[in-house]
Amino acid sequence: MRIAIENAHVVTVAGPEHPGGHVVVEDGRIAAVGPGPAPGDADERIDGTGCLATPGLVNTHHHLYQWASQGLAKDSTLFEWLVTLYRPWSKMDAEVVHGAASAGLGWLALSGCTTSTDHHYLFPSGRGDLFAAEVEAAAELHIRFHPCRGSMDKGRSQGGLPPDEVVEDLDTILAETEAVIDRHHDASPGSMLRVAVAPCSPFSVSKDLLVQSADLARAKGVRLHTHLSETLDEEEYCLAQFGMTPVQYMETLGWLGPDVWYAHAVHLHDADIAAMAGTGTGMAHCPSSNARLGAGIARVADALAAGVPVGLGVDGAASAEMVPLAGEIRQAMYLQRARYGPTALTARQALEMATLGGARCLGRDDEIGTLEPGKLADIALWRVDGFHAALDDPVVALAYGQTPPLARLLVGGRTVVSDGELATVAQDEVARRGADAHRRLMRLAADVL
């Protein structure tokens, strides 16, 4: 199958832009990119007149199950919010997770996302195969998926934040995590499914879990992910419990390296940024969630200047209700400017974070994140005509103000979104699944809400 996109403003992210350019797709990969009409014949020609072509966006942090618990603890800090929500989350089952993941991933696709991770760290006993439920949802939508098998083993009785009933024991976590990797992880080129290991956070997991999870991940050749330095409360907790900052603590446990990326990293010291840059440790920046919970504004401009791989994430829908990934381009840019001034982050830098930066965090920058020959054909085509035509720069049209309509989204050359509608599944059905998941969780959790 050969597809030719023509007459679009092509932003490769890795090199020159091509106004009125082309992208040619052959057998799921990019065969050619350049100015002017596409060379040769094509099975399908897509007229990109009035459109901006970018790499598909990469979401580096999420909690898909939280689609079912949006709108709760609306004015709370992170710790307050978690304490409120741990109990209803303990009641979720595979049906809730599948419905929530379907809606969450569909919503991401409609905002230009072609690859998403997910961090699922609660596994209530007897509630079905929650991990498989979200893997199935991603396969149905045809979204490239990097789910993380999360975990918590440090309940309140051991000095952790979560209640004891939502944590697992160390041996169970390690055995289940290894089983998930063996069952689902696909390391082959062009993979649609790769698994990461992701203990939840320093305040909900033990030192032994962090150390042994890192050993397991590296033995299996998969990546490591966790929350870190999200709030000042967390820093105070780490100083009190371990006598060091969160990044310093993780460094002592072998949790710095090019196979690691942290969610949030809002409260970093200069030495933390230097350590992350020097080791290639990545950072998933979630500006809307950080703002919603009042966590702070991450030092993204400083991290980028130091060479830290930085991607964007929407975070879970319960702390960032209905946030589209494309909107985080604007949110990230504006928050950096609010803190550091109008030159702190440009539209093109923010777009690079949403594409190549995210690919680097997930270890996929050899295959996704840019529009280059040989890379996977994960492509977003945005309509920047109509009202958006009042802006001469189509990247500014994408990054500033309301996100332009999505004309087409390709994942491996397959159309997932066409003219703002999901093409792989019925959009109304996906939306209904998300609403049903919310109603089901509220019923299951009625006694703890």
Side-chain angles (χ1 to χ4, degrees):
M1 181 72 176
R2 184 178 170 91
I3 303 169
I5 300 170
E6 298 180 297
N7 306 317
H9 186 108
V10 178
V11 176
T12 65
V13 173
E17 298 180 16
H18 304 294
H22 68 266
V23 181
V24 177
V25 174
E26 204 166 298
D27 299 326
R29 289 186 178 267
I30 297 171
V33 180
D41 296 329
D43 299 294
E44 180 184 6
R45 290 189 180 273
I46 299 172
D47 185 4
T49 300
C51 290
L52 168 70
T54 71
L57 307 187
V58 179
N59 180 40
T60 58
H61 187 62
H62 210 329
H63 306 292
L64 287 165
Y65 71 88
Q66 291 182 14
W67 188 275
S69 59
Q70 297 186 74
L72 304 177
K74 296 178 286 295
D75 304 305
S76 300
T77 66
L78 173 66
F79 280 17
E80 293 167 344
W81 176 87
L82 284 169
V83 168
T84 300
L85 290 171
Y86 279 137
R87 293 189 186 280
W89 290 340
S90 73
K91 305 298 183 180
M92 75 174 119
D93 60 11
E95 185 176 337
V96 168
V97 172
H98 182 266
S102 294
L105 289 167
W107 187 251
L108 282 171
L110 290 168
S111 70
C113 177
T114 52
T115 299
S116 181
T117 188
D118 187 60
H119 187 185
H120 193 101
Y121 55 85
L122 285 100
F123 293 87
S125 178
R127 299 280 177 166
D129 192 336
L130 308 189
F131 200 88
E134 63 173 11
V135 167
E136 179 184 342
E140 290 169 351
L141 282 153
H142 195 69
I143 296 295
R144 210 173 298 283
F145 197 38
H146 282 234
C148 305
R149 206 298 180 176
S151 53
M152 299 190 295
D153 71 336
K154 190 175 182 180
R156 200 165 293 156
S157 65
Q158 297 175 298
L161 187 68
D164 290 348
E165 60 264 31
V166 301
V167 303
E168 302 171 281
D169 66 83
L170 177 61
D171 290 342
T172 297
I173 289 168
L174 294 173
E176 290 295 326
T177 301
E178 184 171 13
V180 159
I181 296 169
D182 291 343
R183 189 177 307 125
H184 296 292
H185 182 69
D186 177 10
S188 65
S191 171
M192 292 293 292
L193 182 61
R194 291 189 181 171
V195 175
V197 177
C200 187
S201 63
F203 53 82
S204 61
V205 305
S206 67
K207 176 180 177 179
D208 286 344
L209 177 54
L210 286 166
V211 171
Q212 293 185 50
S213 291
D215 290 343
L216 173 61
R218 287 168 178 146
K220 292 288 187 178
V222 302
R223 299 180 78 76
L224 287 162
H225 183 51
T226 192
H227 299 95
L228 202 73
S229 299
E230 185 173 358
T231 66
L232 289 174
D233 288 340
E234 179 187 332
E235 173 147 328
E236 292 167 2
Y237 176 90
C238 288
L239 288 170
Q241 293 286 322
F242 315 122
M244 57 189 84
T245 68
V247 173
Q248 289 171 334
Y249 175 59
M250 299 303 279
E251 186 172 17
T252 68
L253 305 180
W255 269 76
L256 284 175
D259 58 347
V260 179
W261 86 104
Y262 299 142
H264 304 298
V266 175
H267 298 282
L268 297 179
H269 302 272
D270 290 347
D272 299 334
I273 292 174
M276 291 174 66
T279 55
T281 304
M283 169 182 172
H285 177 45
C286 305
S288 289
S289 177
N290 297 157
R292 196 270 205 196
L293 293 171
I297 301 174
R299 296 176 60 187
V300 169
D302 295 334
L304 289 172
V308 175
V310 183
L312 290 181
V314 296
D315 204 3
S319 68
E321 284 82 352
M322 305 302 296
V323 169
L325 183 55
E328 295 296 74
I329 296 173
R330 176 178 66 257
Q331 190 83 322
M333 182 176 63
Y334 283 175
L335 285 178
Q336 289 305 293
R337 293 179 177 207
R339 178 168 181 172
Y340 298 112
T343 62
L345 195 68
T346 69
R348 282 168 175 78
Q349 285 177 306
L351 175 60
E352 182 173 340
M353 287 167 55
T355 52
L356 181 57
R360 290 175 68 196
C361 286
L362 301 187
R364 297 298 296 270
D365 50 306
D366 60 332
E367 290 196 301
I368 62 175
T370 63
L371 300 182
E372 297 178 273
K375 288 206 169 182
L376 295 168
D378 292 2
I379 304 167
L381 196 63
W382 312 88
R383 297 222 65 92
V384 289
D385 51 7
F387 284 106
H388 290 89
L391 291 97
D392 291 330
D393 185 341
V395 179
V396 170
L398 172 65
Y400 290 58
Q402 182 173 325
T403 303
L406 187 61
R408 188 76 72 101
L409 188 72
L410 302 179
V411 180
R414 180 180 175 185
T415 297
V416 173
V417 176
S418 180
D419 292 327
E421 288 282 327
L422 293 172
T424 49
V425 293
Q427 185 161 308
D428 288 347
E429 169 64 15
V430 170
R432 184 191 62 76
R433 289 179 193 171
D436 287 350
H438 170 73
R439 286 190 287 268
R440 179 175 178 81
L441 180 60
M442 294 302 99
R443 287 197 302 272
L444 292 172
D447 61 328
V448 296
L449 284 171

